Amino acid sequence: MAKRLLVRGNEAICMGAIEAGCRYYFGYPITPQNDIPEFMSREMPGLNGEFIQAESEIASINMVLGAAATGARAMTSSSSPGISLKMETISYMAGMEIPCLIVNISRSGPGLGGIDASQGDYFQAVKGGGHGGYHIIVLAPSSIQEMYDLTMLAFDLAEIYRMPAMILGDAVVGQMKEPLIPHPRPHRELPAKDWALRGTEEGGQRVVKSLFLGDGELEAHNWKLFAKYRDLAAKEARWEDYETADATLIATGFGSAARIAKTAVAMAREEGMKVGLLRPITLFPFPAKAFASATEHCKTVLDIELNTGQMVEDVRLSVARDAEVHFYGRPSGTGSLPTPEELLEQIRRYYRN
Amino acid sequence: MAKRLLVRGNEAICMGAIEAGCRYYFGYPITPQNDIPEFMSREMPGLNGEFIQAESEIASINMVLGAAATGARAMTSSSSPGISLKMETISYMAGMEIPCLIVNISRSGPGLGGIDASQGDYFQAVKGGGHGGYHIIVLAPSSIQEMYDLTMLAFDLAEIYRMPAMILGDAVVGQMKEPLIPHPRPHRELPAKDWALRGTEEGGQRVVKSLFLGDGELEAHNWKLFAKYRDLAAKEARWEDYETADATLIATGFGSAARIAKTAVAMAREEGMKVGLLRPITLFPFPAKAFASATEHCKTVLDIELNTGQMVEDVRLSVARDAEVHFYGRPSGTGSLPTPEELLEQIRRYYRN
Amino acid sequence: MPTIEIDELRCKGCGLCTIACPKKLITLSEQINNHGYTPALFQETEIKCTGCALCAEMCPDVAIKVFK
Amino acid sequence: MPTIEIDELRCKGCGLCTIACPKKLITLSEQINNHGYTPALFQETEIKCTGCALCAEMCPDVAIKVFK
Amino acid sequence: MFMAGYGGQGVLLAGTLLAQAAIVEEKNVSFLPSYGVEKRGGAAVCTVVISDGDVGSPVVGNPSVAVILNQSSLDKYGPRIKPGGICIVNTSLVDLSGFPRKDLDIIAIEMNAVAREIGDARMVNMVAVGAYAARTGAVSIDALAEALKDTLPERNHRFIPANVRALEAGASLIGKSGQV
Amino acid sequence: MFMAGYGGQGVLLAGTLLAQAAIVEEKNVSFLPSYGVEKRGGAAVCTVVISDGDVGSPVVGNPSVAVILNQSSLDKYGPRIKPGGICIVNTSLVDLSGFPRKDLDIIAIEMNAVAREIGDARMVNMVAVGAYAARTGAVSIDALAEALKDTLPERNHRFIPANVRALEAGASLIGKSGQV
Amino acid sequence: MQQVFRRPESLKDVQTHFCPGCHHGTIHRIVAETLDEFDLARKTIGVASIGCSVFLYSYFDLDVVESPHGRAPAVATGVKRARPDRFVFTYQGDGDLAAIGTAEIIHAANRGEDITVIFVNNTTYGMTGGQMAPTTLPGQRTSTSPYGRRSEKEGFPVRVAELLSGLDGVAFSARAAVNSPRNIMDAKKQMKKAFRYQIEGKGFSFVEFLSACPTNWGMGAIEANERVGREMCEYFRLGTFKNTANL
Amino acid sequence: MQQVFRRPESLKDVQTHFCPGCHHGTIHRIVAETLDEFDLARKTIGVASIGCSVFLYSYFDLDVVESPHGRAPAVATGVKRARPDRFVFTYQGDGDLAAIGTAEIIHAANRGEDITVIFVNNTTYGMTGGQMAPTTLPGQRTSTSPYGRRSEKEGFPVRVAELLSGLDGVAFSARAAVNSPRNIMDAKKQMKKAFRYQIEGKGFSFVEFLSACPTNWGMGAIEANERVGREMCEYFRLGTFKNTANL
Ligand SMILES: Cc1ncc(C[n+]2csc(CCOP(=O)(O)OP(=O)(O)O)c2C)c(N)n1
Ligand SMILES: Cc1ncc(C[n+]2csc(CCOP(=O)(O)OP(=O)(O)O)c2C)c(N)n1
Ligand code: SF4
Ligand code: SF4
Ligand code: SF4
Ligand code: SF4
Ligand code: SF4
Ligand code: SF4
Ligand SMILES: [Mg+2]
Ligand SMILES: [Mg+2]
């Protein structure tokens, strides 16, 4: 057995980022993700990298924009209110086709809200909280190993598709510690960065921009981005399938909620109920086909989220027409994390043999 | 016939706001909505109001927050990138239950994009581009008279439901001139502002905040907000129904796209096709029931948007299960505004007798 | 005679009053109070409290009342 | 002999060169060019161009070449 | 109705005037401007839809009437005019010789010359509007004259007579020859 | 397994140690901390799930074992313990007299006293962990001792022997009486 | 015998969440005393910022609005413009005011808004666990400057009171400390002056308070209190930097 | 006969979109000449801001990244940290730098980032149609100060070059104008000094250019050019405000 380290989720992201070759971190403090800038402030100097605690979340994402425009792997991290502040620039980076990693260890809202684990930012992450109709890659880890692995994947996908990628976590997966098996960054074919700025002595002029004023230019650019999104959906949708084959009820959810739900599903199985779990790992692209095919035979879906209902819309848009989608939400705040026992109760409520 | 004035859309918003009693405007320049701050900078001083061109969009929405927290009617306006910057504070205001008006005369994106009419900000406006899972009221005028009327309505709904309201327009309805019939603000019962700050000499302490740390407090607050959203959906959904009664194809869309589509529908009718238009006026609350009942009999819906597909998700979530929803999008940019002739072509494409 | 009163439940045992008192009449207790702090104790010796209120001025928790 | 060359198509007729030339050798044309501007005209009189390039320095559109 | 020229030719003012005149005549109308990003020298384009009933789309794909004030506008928008439609062209700045469409009612007017004749070179837009009004009957010259009061800022009301002269000059060209 | 106390009692360190020991024993484990917003004086709570197979939910609604280090934790979390579960209580700070549940295996240890006895008042958490390990067999004391190396920062390795003593003291209380 | 020192009326009689020896408590009291002195409490609207002082409303018996991190001066601008008859102040930390809120403080100051800004400089982000702030001293170790602030990469501490006094809109700008009874007396005087500027409608007034954060400095309360006098007062000079009306 | 004045090489041979008499053109040329002089063009990454100068890449033959409105100094920070071997400059208007971008410029300056900032102050928002800027002069009418800037409500024009020179991280700060051949010569010298600071790794350098916007000032080019000398130079003093290495 390889050496297993006991690692906090936030730190697993840092370890994954460093293994992925990220040497530029720009951030601003906010609970519950402070472990990330703190870790990076310790590590970057020794790795010949740069750590800047910027004057704000807006400045940090713009530093990422600048560093990443030179082709470097760069990242920022924050939590919900801080992520909201980055929306304009994220839209720019999507339009400019700049790869980078944004980590959102989200907290409960709206507004200042609280610092508890929450999934209230699904819409913002997945539909595009910024203006102009763009998308970014969104990955939702539900274990510490995934915090590490998906961080590496995020950097690669971002480069392959030339777009920002986000890790969407929360205080549960961010603060939790679990065994982690570090491993070298897996090899993936990456395209040449023939767009990256470097001074014209290495060739002709390069411009990284999102302004398109020629007749029809911007529309064509939008359809080009759209084609990438379809490509992503076809090639990069990822999900975990747990005992859905014979299920008559499929529970779903992402990240920490799915993690809790999985135990509820196991408990239900122990009680003899045919229940499975379908957990989207990529929220964008959403694994719509997995839902479509699973609901070919299983007509009851129970979606569980730490909010008042967000991913449930994508589930409804994905399932077979005659499937019923139920929702159980716990918009989070102090003392509002659901327990497996509670979710089992919900499974019982909708379960039909 | 009452006196009709030829008025630009952006100015109709100002006239509506002033008639609605708004005396506090805070904004920052951005095309194509500069008529709004310019109009307000001329008018506010004479009305004993305040106009501030703030240092940024973020500062302006926070000035709105401050003024509105005292119970005053206050507003800001901007366009897409500037609206993205307001996301954090809009989430705060939703959480703090502060009424106000935000105008988004949106432009083409993502990023800097261009200044052409666009509907790329639907998701941001309707799903909540900020963090934490909140909603705001979103109204989508498609004529100059509506720019005026819906602005007044927005202020009233904002106060009744204690939440921010948005007018979502674009350069077409913003820059277009049409006859406007000004009229006194219609009477609506408004609740007392027993939450507005005024100094304790007028009673006990009042606090306007979004931080809730007590056990279960924040979750309860979220469900309370959610109940308002349901209430809104039940009571305040508004839409225009144009010849849908016998239609076998219903076109839909909002704002300027719907305006163009309406002519296409009329052209189709002239050709003898049974086609109608269902235009959501409130985007949040989305008139889901109108779609559900219209698609009881009409099974083909054609949604037209100036983007790559956003409202279409709400349409799909609303229609009868066996209805087919088609989408035609023109993500906008210079030279990409669709024409009625072009939309008629699309109607023909999906029309079955 | 001037004196002070320390609110044991408000006191967080920071000790700032102990250095503020020119007469050195305040010390920290050895005992932990309900909140886990060792509160300040006022004890006159042959030197008496002047009611100068410097201790109270220094107290971040407004835990000291001064009488004169 | 020093002289200048004005690129008629680049010139926007702002006139800044006309005030910059110490010899007053530049005036604006009455004729509109292709872009709708009245371009600058260089015309020596008995006073000759010194090639000082002050006109060119002032020109925001880099429409003037100077030879010496 | 669709009008295109370059910035400075008064396209937007002309469109606004037409819209205001429609209001004077108690018609419905929409005026939709559009111009390039650059403040100067860009193209200026507007669409005015006048109707007795509801105005639907303010955007028109194939206008039945187009007023074209400069060459690039003809090149760009000429092909879009509805077959059988009317195209009023400022031949002071437009060379029609290369224009291929034979299915249009083309009304060629040397508008700059006409404007100069009546004494104000800037009145090209008014000449165009006059010609348009006379040819289509969409609005009357009287309504246009009336509308000038609401369209021009107070301080420019002294120019109203000159504007009216230009409107009339434009109209008279149609009147004279029926078809120029 | 669920442990609760107030900040400063070392609840999170204890939880981490347990998790690390589970790793030493090649088990699966998750450690989930949670603490109040205030930095000081707030409650400190953590959940450690140890399993030979996959660890599912790191959140446990009704823990089968709870270690309770202060009064407010008992009041708040006591009712949640699974019927028939184990509740290890620090009776130095907790008064069990008002605790109503009779369906639990309650192990009362005066942990502060025990810690003081072995010479370091701060070792309450280690006493608790020792008792927990001995009672449940979830991890061995050896594994815990081993895990201390990874859990404590290098500069605190000199305290390892004291920590081990505290672990053993806690364990021995179970060992001695089987059931305290 | 008479009570010569008592809790000011506008300060609620509750336990704060501040750490032992945290100067926020002292500064709260000074603000409350000044409000009482001018009999302002009942016509005041306070603007809370995000930081350890976020619970302003829990401690002050005033109407209070919360503002997003760094935006308090903009929020206060909105409040004051809508209610020019009210007394309006913000209370902000150094992360809040001197980092994310830089634009808002500079422009509210430059506009000369008739508000009072109370600025608590403790050279760190207290609430989030002691990260580096724009006011962190050179060499100071924090959780995000683990090797000490390196001025060549991270810049020098910003002297806010001086910076603002360079703006024409600022009427009063001063720096005070609360690390000794004597400094506390001076601090109260500065606070009073600042309040008088607003009361008399004379424009933007600003007081920076040097403040200890024992918890994040990793020090005991007394040691932290001493650091204020030893290290902070040296870099951040106490005094009045602008006093246009000589109040 | 020899050509003694020619278009600098790093300036593309194309027509700009600038209005007649707009000083952006002149400033572009000065920047290009200085790049040429130091032979920097091919190792430079330019950072464009949002304003009339947004098309930087259309006019300069350089690698260029666009930045969101006001954020150019943060973008440049990212570029420079990732490529410390490249020459990095931002080119920003007064709306961009002195309003929305206040926090970014102050903190990049305070960190002493090794970049050069070219700041074009034309007392208005040019691109969006002439609204009031933080640098608009008292009494100046703009489309959002239709009655003239009222300093008591809208504050005084911000003197950015002076403000920045108060920050320890700033190595060089100067103000120049391009309204006369003589001022243009001086402006070039300031530009050269600023570039040398970066070339020699000596820290943050900044040049403010006073600039005419005839279109939005509602003036002819010559009149606008004169206003720079008459009104602007009076309020915004030309000169060097900081020159730490005395280059
Ligand atoms: C937009 C946003 N970013 C970050 C945070 C996290 N945050 C909370 S308080 C704080 C700063 C606290 O420092 P300071 O302003 O110095 O106040 P102190 O606690 O030191 O008094 C930060 C960054 C937040 N709440 N919102
Ligand atoms: C976030 C955002 N807000 C506003 C705008 C609109 N906008 C474009 S350029 C500009 C300012 C132009 O003024 P300035 O920076 O002074 O440059 P100038 O055009 O005068 O050279 C503004 C506000 C924008 N593009 N993005
Ligand atoms: S009042 Fe003065 S003398 Fe008395 S205890 Fe306090 S500080 Fe000491
Ligand atoms: S200063 Fe106040 S809180 Fe601190 S020890 Fe003295 S009485 Fe207690
Ligand atoms: S070079 Fe000198 S003298 Fe010759 S035209 Fe130009 S300014 Fe005049
Ligand atoms: S300065 Fe240049 S653009 Fe202006 S008139 Fe002279 S040559 Fe033409
Ligand atoms: S963390 Fe620092 S600033 Fe916050 S309450 Fe504690 S001592 Fe005060
Ligand atoms: S608007 Fe002003 S700044 Fe912009 S190009 Fe024209 S003159 Fe220059
Ligand atoms: Mg602080
Ligand atoms: Mg400008």
Side-chain angles (χ1 to χ4, degrees), chain D residues 1-64:
Chain D
M1 246 171 34
T3 188
I4 69 165
E5 226 175 67
I6 300 176
D7 183 342
E8 250 221 40
L9 288 176
R10 283 293 148 72
C11 173
K12 291 179 183 151
C14 70
L16 294 185
C17 52
T18 67
I19 57 164
C21 175
K23 307 290 175 195
K24 300 285 162 236
L25 301 177
I26 314 181
T27 53
L28 290 189
S29 156
E30 308 268 277
Q31 297 286 23
I32 291 182
N33 75 2
N34 261 14
H35 297 105
Y37 303 124
T38 54
L41 292 179
F42 171 64
Q43 193 133 36
E44 280 174 310
T45 53
E46 62 278 25
I47 306 169
K48 298 294 171 212
C49 173
T50 62
C52 68
L54 296 184
C55 54
E57 288 288 351
M58 261 319 263
C59 176
D61 285 279
V62 206
I64 305 182

Side-chain angles (χ1 to χ4, degrees), chain G residues 43-123:
Chain G
K43 48 172 286 194
T44 291
I45 299 175
V47 180
S49 68
I50 316 290
C52 279
S53 59
V54 69
F55 302 107
L56 207 66
Y57 44 83
S58 303
Y59 307 139
F60 284 94
D61 189 14
L62 302 172
D63 275 12
V64 172
V65 58
E66 168 186 286
S67 61
H69 190 35
R71 318 306 175 192
V75 171
T77 296
V79 171
K80 187 74 181 189
R81 295 285 179 125
R83 292 299 305 259
D85 59 330
R86 303 287 96 172
F87 185 83
V88 178
F89 72 91
T90 74
Y91 186 111
Q92 305 177 254
D94 46 351
D96 191 84
L97 181 142
I100 192 171
T102 306
E104 285 75 12
I105 189 64
I106 288 205
H107 286 279
N110 191 59
R111 280 191 308 269
E113 293 294 340
D114 233 345
I115 59 174
T116 303
V117 171
I118 294 153
F119 172 48
V120 178
N121 173 358
N122 58 12
T123 74

Side-chain angles (χ1 to χ4, degrees), chain F residues 8-66:
Chain F
Q9 284 186 311
V11 166
L12 303 184
L13 180 67
T16 307
L17 178 67
L18 262 174
Q20 189 65 49
I23 290 187
V24 170
E25 295 197 346
E26 307 207 336
K27 292 180 173 163
N28 284 316
V29 65
S30 75
F31 160 80
L32 180 69
S34 92
Y35 29 62
V37 192
E38 293 113 52
K39 295 192 62 79
R40 288 269 170 99
V45 166
C46 76
T47 308
V48 179
V49 180
I50 299 175
S51 154
D52 292 324
D54 253 19
V55 168
S57 172
V59 179
V60 175
N62 307 123
S64 48
V65 187

Side-chain angles (χ1 to χ4, degrees), chain E residues 10-18 31 125-126 129 148 151-153 163:
Chain E
V11 167
L12 302 184
L13 180 67
T16 307
L17 179 66
L18 262 174
F31 160 81
N125 55 347
M126 292 296 139
V129 168
L148 277 169
T151 309
L152 295 177
N163 279 281

